[in-house]
Amino acid sequence: MTIRDVANAVGVSTATVSKVLNATGRVSEETRKAVLDAAKRLDFRPNAMARALQSSRSSSVGLLTDDTYGRFSLPLMAGVTEGLIAHGMSVFLCTIDGPPELGATHLDALLQKRVDGLIISGRRVDRLPDIDLSGVPVPIVYALSQGPEHGVTLAPDEKQGARLAVTHLIEIGRRRIAHVTGPERFRVVRERAASWRETLAAHGLASDMAVLNGDWSQRWGHTAVAELFDGRPEAEWPDAVFCGNDQIGHGLVDALRERGIAVPGQVAVIGFDNWHVLAEDSRPPLSSIDMNLPALGREVGLTLMRMIAGEHQAEGTTRLPCTLVRRASTIGPVG
């Protein structure tokens, strides 16, 4: 169906149909309704390319990410799409984990499609994906990635999330709270560890245990139990462990169970990320901190929409709050 078919069905000019569909010019309410009814009845869909050429807008944005595994980019993408779909916007997802030429190829393709804006996302909030964005003529929002000093960046509030975790453990009566986490070179590791110390101190608690750094794996969580419990009298065991992610937490819970140490009876365990496939599969299910990536994605999409519309957005990093998800590893069985 074409715009001419709609015009013929209503008995008006193609110019009138165009005014109605693009919400421009003056048209009577009766004519507007007749055109919209006919367009719906005929299943007419405007030619997106033609409209883009007319308006210099394509009603689409690009999302470039080096998170090929999708652990962070897919929930973010879901939120971005949810935030934009009501505005008639579509999202192109491109993965750029590879040589710099790959990112340049995808970027060129998106710009040739006349996308109205770009979202840059990564696997780490302290690193910018390897892509040259200089001279890009459309607005850019950075998410879960290191943005430039004068860029617009959105990220989870890592320190607030860690504070939630440690405060929860204190509120359920735990006093010797250990911290097992990932490599120290990650900024989020340093931020969460600092928040762990600050929260303990704010509640008058001091930890004589150093932060245990390893990799982001179940294996490391399993291994860390030996460092925390072997060679110590039971009176010096931690009564809770705050883990840097759910993989570490899952492995740690498994190792405690193998040693006959009750979770949460003797040791409460909490993770970070709220990765359902791991947290809910743990025995017992793992309490965790949710970074609310879909909600973050929605805000990223809406922020980009405002920038596309010409509205100024605050430069620098805006941090969105995390939430606590309570499960049996800290509060015991429910019901």
Side-chain angles (χ1 to χ4, degrees):
M1 288 294 164
T2 68
I3 193 171
R4 188 174 299 280
D5 295 316
V6 177
N8 289 339
V10 181
V12 296
S13 68
T14 55
T16 298
V17 174
S18 178
K19 289 179 183 179
V20 172
L21 296 179
N22 291 296
T24 59
R26 299 180 64 179
V27 179
S28 71
E29 181 60 26
E30 182 182 358
T31 299
R32 188 189 71 82
K33 185 177 184 306
V35 168
L36 292 177
D37 287 346
K40 184 177 181 180
R41 184 174 68 255
L42 297 173
D43 194 26
F44 169 73
R45 299 186 180 188
N47 185 301
M49 184 175 293
R51 293 182 71 177
L53 290 171
Q54 270 193 333
S55 65
S56 298
R57 293 273 299 274
S58 67
S59 296
S60 64
V61 301
L63 195 161
L64 293 160
T65 180
D66 62 3
D67 175 28
T68 53
Y69 188 67
R71 168 65 191 96
F72 302 110
S73 59
L74 292 182
L76 183 80
M77 171 83 167
V80 169
T81 303
E82 183 181 331
L84 293 181
I85 195 168
H87 297 273
M89 302 285 283
S90 57
V91 185
F92 296 110
L93 173 64
C94 299
T95 57
I96 55 173
D97 185 24
E101 310 87 73
L102 179 62
T105 298
H106 283 311
L107 178 60
D108 286 345
L110 290 172
L111 293 178
Q112 286 178 25
K113 291 180 182 296
R114 306 170 68 93
V115 293
D116 300 322
L118 292 172
I119 298 166
I120 309 299
S121 177
R123 290 173 295 193
R124 292 176 56 171
V125 298
D126 55 357
R127 179 179 294 171
L128 182 66
D130 189 9
I131 182 171
D132 181 9
L133 297 167
S134 58
V136 170
V138 296
I140 302 175
V141 175
Y142 299 84
L144 297 175
S145 172
Q146 177 68 57
E149 181 181 356
H150 298 295
V152 176
T153 304
L154 285 83
D157 191 333
E158 304 285 349
K159 295 190 74 172
Q160 176 262 350
R163 187 164 58 250
L164 273 179
V166 180
T167 300
H168 171 59
L169 294 172
I170 293 170
E171 287 175 345
I172 62 173
R174 308 306 164 122
R175 293 297 178 265
R176 292 181 53 78
I177 302 171
H179 185 33
V180 180
T181 187
E184 191 176 11
R185 67 179 182 275
F186 285 76
R187 190 178 74 197
V188 296
V189 168
R190 300 191 298 273
E191 289 180 345
R192 294 173 192 174
S195 187
W196 166 72
R197 294 189 188 93
E198 292 165 4
T199 307
L200 289 177
H203 287 82
L205 302 173
S207 177
D208 57 359
M209 291 172 282
V211 175
L212 297 185
N213 295 102
D215 57 19
W216 300 110
S217 71
Q218 291 175 243
R219 182 182 61 253
W220 164 233
H222 201 281
T223 301
V225 169
E227 296 193 34
L228 287 172
F229 293 87
D230 286 358
R232 293 174 183 258
E234 189 170 346
E236 294 180 8
W237 285 0
D239 60 7
V241 184
F242 166 39
C243 298
N245 74 353
D246 293 336
Q247 290 164 281
I248 294 171
H250 193 293
L252 195 138
V253 167
D254 284 348
L256 290 172
R257 186 176 62 251
E258 290 170 7
R259 291 165 182 257
I261 299 174
V263 177
Q266 292 171 275
V267 181
V269 181
I270 189 168
F272 207 105
D273 294 343
N274 195 34
W275 193 359
H276 292 272
V277 68
L278 279 174
E280 294 176 358
D281 183 61
S282 177
R283 294 294 175 265
L286 186 66
S287 293
S288 189
I289 299 300
D290 195 323
M291 294 189 291
N292 298 321
L293 296 181
L296 177 69
R298 283 194 297 275
E299 188 55 36
V300 167
L302 294 175
T303 298
L304 185 57
M305 278 294 299
R306 291 191 287 269
M307 294 173 68
I308 292 169
E311 298 180 28
H312 176 75
Q313 300 297 295
E315 296 177 348
T317 300
T318 299
R319 299 193 181 276
L320 278 66
C322 303
T323 55
L324 168 67
V325 180
R326 298 171 175 84
R327 295 191 180 93
S329 69
T330 60
I331 61 173
V334 178

